[in-house]
Structures are given as C-alpha cells and as structure tokens.
Amino acid sequence: MAYSLSQYKQEVIINFNAEEDTAALYMANPSWIQKLDRLVEPNPKQFEMYRQEKMDGRVISKAYRFPKKFVSIRSKDAKRELTDEQRAELAQRMREQRKINSAARNEEQEPQNGH
C-alpha cells in the first residue's frame, strides 16, 4: 500500500532568522517538491536539498537550504497582459518543451539491449 499525505498535511514551511543568510524550506507537498528539485539541479551553489523523509519507499517530504534573499512576498497578483502573438509564441514553446520532455522520458523507460 502506498502512503499518501492528506492535503491538510501537505505543508510548506519557510524558516529563517535575522542572523543567518540562509533560509530553510520544508515541504510535504509533491508539486512544491518538484519545483524545488528543478531549481536544485541547475543551481547547486544556491539550492541544497539536505533532508528527505520516506514512507513505504516513497518520498513524502524534503527540506532545502537557499539564500534568504531569495524569499519574497508580493503585494498583489502579478497579471501579465499578453498580445495574441505573445500568447501564440508561449503556446508554441510549451508544445516544443512537452515534446522534448516526452522524448526524454521515453528514452529513460526504454530497456537497454542485453541488460
């Protein structure tokens, strides 16, 4: 049986103090874990995953460290006003990225000859 946290327990906690330059981010939310994992790989000098918890073999939470200066709070929703051309360009880029991601996943899943 796979273990799954309720939505209530899928928390995200940011922790920092006035003395240190780093912040800690604990999360038990799968979509936030994916976001941070995507930041860690290309930015290992800024983002570090330093702890993970597993239940029944599945990762249920992770904790990360990063510069405190990266923490920000917006004062309002940022709405982008896009032209039809910009919207079409973004849609095309997204389609291309999905093809690339799909091809990469297929390569990972293909069995190796003789293995």
Side-chain angles (χ1 to χ4, degrees):
M1 175 174 94
Y3 184 80
S4 175
L5 294 176
S6 69
Q7 286 191 329
Y8 180 80
K9 291 184 178 183
Q10 291 181 16
E11 60 191 4
V12 176
I13 300 169
I14 302 170
N15 186 11
F16 58 87
N17 62 53
E19 184 175 309
E20 296 176 322
D21 292 333
T22 59
L25 183 59
Y26 166 84
M27 57 189 64
N29 180 300
S31 61
W32 276 87
I33 289 172
Q34 284 182 335
K35 286 179 187 186
L36 264 289
D37 283 347
R38 285 193 301 261
L39 286 173
V40 171
E41 187 175 330
N43 303 294
K45 291 182 180 176
Q46 286 102 5
F47 294 92
E48 172 196 11
M49 191 277 295
Y50 67 93
R51 188 179 84 221
Q52 71 178 6
E53 297 170 349
K54 292 184 176 185
M55 180 74 69
D56 294 335
R58 275 186 57 214
V59 174
I60 60 168
S61 70
K62 289 187 177 183
Y64 303 83
R65 285 189 194 99
F66 60 95
K68 181 171 62 177
K69 66 183 178 182
F70 290 179
V71 176
S72 69
I73 298 174
R74 293 181 289 204
S75 61
K76 60 182 178 177
D77 284 341
K79 297 204 180 205
R80 291 175 62 182
E81 298 295 327
L82 301 174
T83 66
D84 289 340
E85 292 82 18
Q86 289 171 320
R87 197 172 281 111
E89 181 183 333
L90 288 172
Q92 181 61 33
R93 267 195 262 160
M94 183 61 76
R95 282 191 291 276
E96 290 170 7
Q97 189 61 49
R98 285 183 179 143
K99 284 181 188 176
I100 291 168
N101 292 346
S102 178
R105 278 193 300 274
N106 289 339
E107 281 182 19
E108 290 174 359
Q109 293 174 358
E110 287 181 6
Q112 302 273 329
N113 289 337
H115 295 284

